[in-house]
């Protein structure tokens, strides 16, 4: 089996001008109910783009934080005239567990001021957001409500492009593994690919395929990706210059990496097992994501659960979760969400704290 190791694969493209905008966004409004071509389900800007780009000078890291909650596993989406941040909300409890996880959402017009969290799913975590081929927004996540079966996957469908109202939960690929977390979808035009992390003491990245989202999923296998002798987690599929890419976090050290799919036909499920060598996304250190002493992922979090988004001015924006400690909220740390920008995914800038 081919192992992917840390480094830049020969011919790995620099990523510029992704073309992640939905069809017709240059001056024309695109309804989320329009059909979505394969590969554009992860468009970060849906419908008419913001009248102005991101005011970088106005931003301060972390861009999203709450004094009494931790936030991580975020996904960023522009739709319905606002930016939406979906995330794992961590709330301290006094019961058997010291923390409760919910999937929640906050909205902002400018990435500076955010609404209070609106809970989409309780006892749930690690959301990802895509659009199905009909143009409807779909949020996927892991649910902890059925402890006897272990963590399982669910999805909900947005009722409109404001992402304010969601359908009831639906099971996603039930029974494929005893424990399933970090789901991510990709609609290929020939069914739907599901990536997820499986296992408990021994964990691994799995790929499954189904003819449709509500259909029966079949395991395809474990992608040929290894970082630091370990697996990857917190997945995001997206297209880059017409090619599928993967943003994922190393299970060891919790650092963000980018991979490119192939060679092979994305319409063939087995192609999704083969990826380029990973390249780390080098997010600069700041006080809110470092600690004077210790090891990243052991005593603090630097750039965990990264999510790539493309701004209306052509720049790439990466959001990520960070914490200066890993003792609060049941040992997950008082996580906050930061942002970085790049024009090539090689050199990154961060706003001041």
């Amino acid at each position: 089996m081919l192992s992917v190791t840390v480094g830049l694969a020969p011919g790995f493209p620099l990523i510029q001008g992704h073309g992640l905008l939905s069809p017709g966004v240059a001056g024309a409004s695109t309804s989320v109910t329009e059909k979505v071509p394969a590969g554009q389900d992860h468009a970060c800007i849906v419908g008419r783009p913001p009248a102005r780009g991101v005011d970088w000078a106005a931003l301060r890291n972390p861009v999203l934080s709450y004094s009494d909650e931790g936030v991580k596993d975020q996904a960023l989406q522009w739709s319905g005239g606002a930016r939406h941040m979906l995330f794992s909300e961590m709330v301290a409890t006094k019961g058997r567990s010291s923390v409760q996880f919910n999937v929640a959402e906050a909205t902002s017009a400018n990435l500076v001021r955010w609404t209070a969290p609106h809970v989409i799913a309780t006892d749930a975590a690690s959301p990802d957001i895509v659009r199905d081929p009909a143009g409807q927004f779909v949020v996927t996540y892991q649910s902890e409500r059925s402890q006897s079966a272990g963590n399982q996957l669910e999805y909900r469908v947005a009722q409109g492009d404001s992402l304010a109202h969601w359908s009831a939960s639906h099971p996603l690929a039930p029974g494929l593994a005893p424990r399933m977390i970090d789901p991510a979808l990709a609609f290929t035009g020939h069914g739907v690919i599901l990536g997820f992390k499986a296992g408990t003491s021994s964990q691994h990245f799995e790929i499954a395929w189904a003819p449709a989202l509500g259909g029966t999923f079949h395991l395809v296998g474990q992608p040929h990706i290894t970082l630091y002798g370990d697996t990857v987690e917190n997945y995001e599929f997206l297209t880059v210059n017409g090619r599928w890419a993967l943003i994922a976090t190393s299970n060891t050290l919790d650092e963000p990496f980018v991979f490119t799919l192939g060679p092979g036909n994305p319409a063939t499920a087995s192609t999704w097992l083969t990826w380029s060598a990973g390249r780390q996304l080098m997010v600069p250190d700041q006080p809110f994501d470092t600690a004077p002493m210790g090891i990243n992922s052991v005593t603090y979090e630097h750039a965990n659960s990264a999510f790539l988004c493309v701004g209306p001015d052509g720049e790439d924006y990466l959001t990520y979760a960070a914490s200066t400690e890993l003792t609060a909220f049941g040992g997950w740390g008082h996580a906050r969400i930061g942002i970085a920008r790049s024009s090539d995914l090689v050199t990154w800038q961060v706003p001041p704290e």
Side-chain angles (χ1 to χ4, degrees), residues 15 25-26 35 61 73 97 106 131 148 187 218 222 231 233 236 246 256 258 272 281-282 300 308 341:
I15 301 177
V25 295
K35 292 185 177 180
N61 259 344
D73 305 329
S97 174
R131 287 187 299 159
S148 61
F187 293 93
H218 305 273
Q222 298 177 23
T231 189
E233 59 186 8
E236 177 197 5
L246 167 70
V258 59
W272 291 76
L281 305 180
M282 305 299 293
Y300 69 95
L308 180 63
R341 70 175 180 179

Side-chain angles (χ1 to χ4, degrees), residues 15-310:
I15 301 177
Q16 303 181 34
H18 289 196
L20 291 182
L21 304 184
S22 56
V25 295
S29 177
T30 302
S31 169
V32 299
T33 59
E34 293 180 3
K35 292 185 177 180
V36 179
Q40 294 183 345
D41 50 303
H42 267 276
C44 194
I45 307 293
V46 172
R48 186 179 296 277
R52 298 179 181 178
V54 173
D55 184 358
W56 187 255
L59 298 186
R60 295 292 181 270
N61 259 344
V63 290
L64 178 62
S65 64
Y66 299 100
S67 61
D68 57 347
E69 298 181 2
V71 288
K72 63 191 299 284
D73 305 329
Q74 73 296 325
L76 183 62
Q77 179 74 58
W78 167 275
S79 179
R83 291 178 172 88
H84 306 266
M85 192 86 80
L86 287 80
F87 49 84
S88 298
E89 173 196 55
M90 298 184 290
V91 181
T93 66
K94 296 181 180 180
R96 291 182 59 187
S97 174
S98 59
V99 63
Q100 176 177 335
F101 280 82
N102 303 311
V103 169
E105 173 195 8
T107 60
S108 174
N110 52 17
L111 296 177
V112 176
R113 290 176 294 276
W114 294 86
T115 64
H118 165 67
V119 173
I120 296 172
T122 58
D123 295 319
S126 197
D128 188 42
I129 186 168
V130 297
R131 287 187 299 159
D132 66 15
Q136 300 178 106
F137 284 107
V138 178
V139 60
T140 55
Y141 54 88
Q142 67 205 40
S143 172
E144 301 177 355
R145 290 182 295 177
S146 178
Q147 293 298 329
S148 61
N151 290 14
Q152 295 295 302
L153 308 182
E154 296 182 354
Y155 72 92
R156 296 176 187 245
V157 180
Q159 310 298 300
D161 62 358
S162 68
L163 307 188
H165 303 285
W166 295 84
S167 71
S169 63
H170 303 279
L172 175 60
L176 283 187
R179 180 178 183 268
M180 304 166 66
I181 64 173
D182 294 349
L185 298 176
F187 293 93
T188 66
H190 296 269
V192 56
I193 291 290
L194 167 66
F196 64 96
K197 185 178 175 184
T200 53
S201 57
S202 176
Q203 300 177 331
H204 47 273
F205 179 21
E206 287 277 7
I207 292 291
W209 174 89
L213 181 59
T216 301
F217 278 84
H218 305 273
L219 283 176
V220 178
Q222 298 177 23
H224 308 158
I225 293 177
T226 302
L227 294 177
Y228 309 119
D230 201 351
T231 189
V232 290
E233 59 186 8
N234 290 107
Y235 318 109
E236 177 197 5
F237 296 123
L238 69 165
T239 52
V240 175
N241 294 329
R243 296 182 63 187
W244 283 99
L246 167 70
I247 303 296
T249 301
S250 61
N251 197 52
T252 296
L253 298 181
D254 292 347
E255 292 287 6
F257 284 78
V258 59
F259 307 85
T260 299
L261 180 67
N265 184 352
T268 302
S270 60
T271 297
W272 291 76
L273 304 182
T274 304
W275 296 84
S276 70
R279 179 162 57 80
Q280 185 175 342
L281 305 180
M282 305 299 293
V283 178
D285 292 344
Q286 290 186 280
F288 88 101
D289 59 29
T290 55
M293 299 180 62
I295 301 173
N296 179 35
S297 80
V298 177
T299 56
Y300 69 95
E301 292 284 11
H302 170 236
N304 198 359
S305 60
F307 185 91
L308 180 63
C309 197
V310 173

